[in-house]
């Protein structure tokens, strides 16, 4: 009797242990999917790489934002050296101290009032408007020298600190927004002290602030604007890049976003374009240097171009640097300023008589 041994047949649609080759039947793609099979080592490494890359990018973005936040903070709170003297010590000028609220009531203005030397009280007052990063002394101008010369011309003088320079009531710099309110209160103080002819003599951002203030009051009879700096996004970025080389994008948008967090003021609140287009009714004397790297001379020239008062003047100083114009030509500087002041005084006297 013979015995026939039959070989087992594979199940239909399946596989047998003898025919399994490590690939899914009919697919050629490997073993069949099973939810119990763990993620492959390759996929796991890919997920880890993506997570690490995302973390690095997030860290870099955080560093970039923090760096620009620090720049914004330093712009809002510039270092200002403390006062080193006073009018009596520097020029033997009698003075009184004052502390008054700004016109907005949000800040306090500290300053000095220097009366004219004449026995009969003078009705003419110069209000100095110092620049960014300086205080009322502003030594590189130099302010005490100008105060002494103007005192000899029988002017009362007001010297005060903007909020960012205040030794006791420090506030952030706002590009002229709140500073104009501080200047307004100083002008009002001069008026209360008996002045009926008030000239604002501004330097750098103090000159730009004077222009912003002139939009808000008719108490100013004339302005002398030395190295006028008017804050706007372009001039801000230009000055930042003088200190650190930054790309315009994303640096400028970041600074525009972050700066208001410290100052409470956006560029939209600073009337830079309005200032540039305004023909002021009062005499404006613009003094600017061609080598000014902080405030482009073209802006001063554009403002001068739209002025219509017959006494308005412009002196463009060849090779003059920012706020160093008095030092470059001290005698001519004083002669020009004194002539302008005498013309303003005559104009004011004629206006009062009529």
């Amino acid at each position: 009797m013979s015995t026939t041994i039959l070989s087992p047949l594979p199940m239909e649609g399946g596989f047998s242990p003898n025919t399994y080759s490590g690939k899914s039947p009919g697919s050629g793609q490997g073993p069949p999917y099973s939810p119990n099979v763990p993620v492959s080592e390759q996929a796991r490494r890919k997920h880890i790489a993506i997570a690490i890359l995302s973390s690095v990018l997030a860290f870099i973005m955080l560093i970039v934002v923090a760096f620009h936040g620090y720049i914004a903070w330093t712009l809002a709170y510039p270092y200002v050296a403390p006062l080193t003297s006073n009018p009596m010590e520097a020029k033997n000028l009698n003075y009184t101290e004052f502390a008054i609220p700004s016109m907005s009531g949000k800040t306090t203005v500290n300053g000095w009032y220097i009366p004219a030397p004449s026995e009969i009280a003078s009705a003419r007052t110069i209000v100095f408007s110092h620049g960014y990063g300086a205080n009322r002394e502003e030594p590189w101008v130099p302010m005490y020298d100008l105060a002494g010369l103007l005192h000899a011309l029988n002017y009362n003088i007001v010297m005060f600190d903007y909020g960012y320079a205040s030794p006791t009531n420090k506030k952030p710099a706002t590009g002229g927004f709140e500073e104009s309110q501080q200047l307004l209160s100083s002008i009002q103080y001069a008026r209360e002290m008996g002045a009926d002819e008030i000239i604002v003599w501004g330097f750098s951002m103090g000159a730009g602030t004077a222009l912003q203030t002139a939009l808000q009051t008719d108490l100013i009879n004339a302005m002398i604007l030395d190295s006028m700096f008017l804050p706007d996004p372009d001039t801000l970025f230009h000055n930042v890049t003088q200190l650190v080389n930054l790309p315009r994008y994303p640096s400028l948008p970041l600074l525009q976003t972050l700066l208001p967090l410290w100052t409470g003021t956006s560029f939209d609140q600073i009337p830079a374009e309005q200032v540039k287009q305004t023909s002021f009714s009062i005499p404006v004397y613009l003094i600017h240097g061609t080598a000014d790297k902080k405030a482009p001379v073209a802006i001063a020239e554009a403002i001068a171009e739209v002025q219509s008062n017959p006494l308005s003047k412009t002196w463009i100083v060849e090779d003059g640097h920012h706020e160093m114009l008095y030092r470059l030509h001290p005698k001519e500087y004083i002669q020009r300023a004194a002539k302008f002041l005498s013309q303003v005084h005559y104009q004011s006297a004629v206006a009062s008589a009529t």
Side-chain angles (χ1 to χ4, degrees):
M1 180 176 177
S2 63
T3 303
T4 304
I5 298 174
L6 300 175
S7 297
L9 295 172
M11 293 178 292
E12 183 178 356
F15 61 91
S16 72
N18 297 326
T19 61
Y20 174 60
S21 62
K23 297 181 179 180
S24 298
S27 67
Q29 300 299 318
Y33 169 77
S34 170
N36 296 322
V37 177
V39 178
S40 69
E41 183 66 16
Q42 183 179 3
R44 188 176 72 85
R45 290 180 179 176
K46 182 179 180 181
H47 292 159
I48 292 174
I50 291 173
I52 292 174
L53 180 60
S54 299
S55 298
V56 170
L57 290 175
F59 181 71
I60 292 173
M61 290 178 63
L62 179 62
I63 292 296
V64 169
V65 172
F67 175 69
H68 285 83
Y70 173 73
I71 293 176
W73 184 86
T74 59
L75 291 171
Y77 291 95
Y79 170 75
V80 178
L83 295 171
T84 61
S85 187
N86 60 55
M88 176 56 73
E89 292 179 358
K91 291 294 177 180
N92 198 34
L93 303 176
N94 291 319
Y95 72 98
T96 57
E97 296 189 5
F98 65 85
I100 55 178
S102 71
M103 198 60 70
S104 69
K106 296 179 180 179
T107 53
T108 300
V109 181
N110 299 90
W112 298 319
Y113 179 77
I114 305 170
S118 60
E119 294 182 3
I120 301 175
S122 173
R124 298 185 292 168
T125 298
I126 301 287
V127 179
F128 281 131
S129 176
H130 69 75
Y132 176 81
N135 57 32
R136 70 187 88 162
E137 292 180 323
E138 200 149 14
W140 53 80
V141 166
M143 203 75 91
Y144 284 126
D145 287 353
L146 286 179
L149 291 167
L150 292 167
H151 184 262
L153 293 175
N154 205 37
Y155 281 92
N156 309 301
I157 301 158
V158 172
M159 302 171 68
F160 71 96
D161 290 328
Y162 282 116
Y164 57 81
S166 174
T168 56
N169 301 287
K170 198 170 184 67
K171 297 295 180 182
T174 64
F177 183 72
E178 174 60 24
E179 287 81 4
S180 67
Q181 303 304 298
Q182 296 160 2
L183 179 53
L184 276 172
S185 67
S186 300
I187 292 168
Q188 183 61 43
Y189 176 79
R191 175 57 64 91
E192 292 171 0
M193 295 298 291
D196 58 18
E197 181 183 316
I198 298 173
I199 292 88
V200 176
W201 196 326
F203 303 85
S204 189
M205 196 169 82
T209 297
L211 287 168
Q212 294 181 54
T213 305
L215 296 173
Q216 307 173 50
T217 183
D218 58 1
L219 294 180
I220 303 173
N221 293 87
M223 294 185 290
I224 300 176
L225 308 177
D226 182 326
S227 305
M228 188 276 304
F229 177 87
L230 192 61
D232 62 25
D234 289 330
T235 52
L236 168 74
F237 185 71
H238 171 76
N239 277 269
V240 169
T241 54
Q242 301 298 304
L243 303 175
V244 57
N245 189 19
L246 294 174
R248 187 175 181 85
Y249 184 86
S251 291
L252 182 54
L254 277 173
L255 290 174
Q256 286 183 266
T257 301
L258 294 170
L259 197 55
L261 299 180
W262 302 116
T263 65
T265 306
S266 69
F267 280 103
D268 292 339
Q269 295 173 280
I270 300 173
E273 290 306 315
Q274 183 182 358
V275 165
K276 294 175 185 178
Q277 299 169 14
T278 298
S279 175
F280 294 93
S281 60
I282 60 176
V284 178
Y285 195 176
L286 283 151
I287 306 173
H288 216 96
T290 60
D292 194 323
K293 295 182 179 179
K294 295 183 179 180
V297 66
I299 296 179
E301 290 174 328
I303 292 174
E305 186 69 26
V306 299
Q307 300 311 306
S308 57
N309 188 291
L311 294 185
S312 290
K313 301 182 187 312
T314 307
W315 179 25
I316 303 301
V317 182
E318 196 67 31
D319 297 324
H321 292 269
H322 193 72
E323 290 191 271
M324 302 298 288
L325 308 178
Y326 173 85
R327 290 183 179 276
L328 184 62
H329 301 293
K331 184 177 292 186
E332 183 178 5
Y333 190 102
I334 290 301
Q335 288 174 344
R336 285 174 174 268
K339 182 178 179 180
F340 176 74
L341 291 172
S342 66
Q343 292 172 335
V344 168
H345 178 59
Y346 178 77
Q347 185 185 69
S348 297
V350 171
S352 298
T354 57

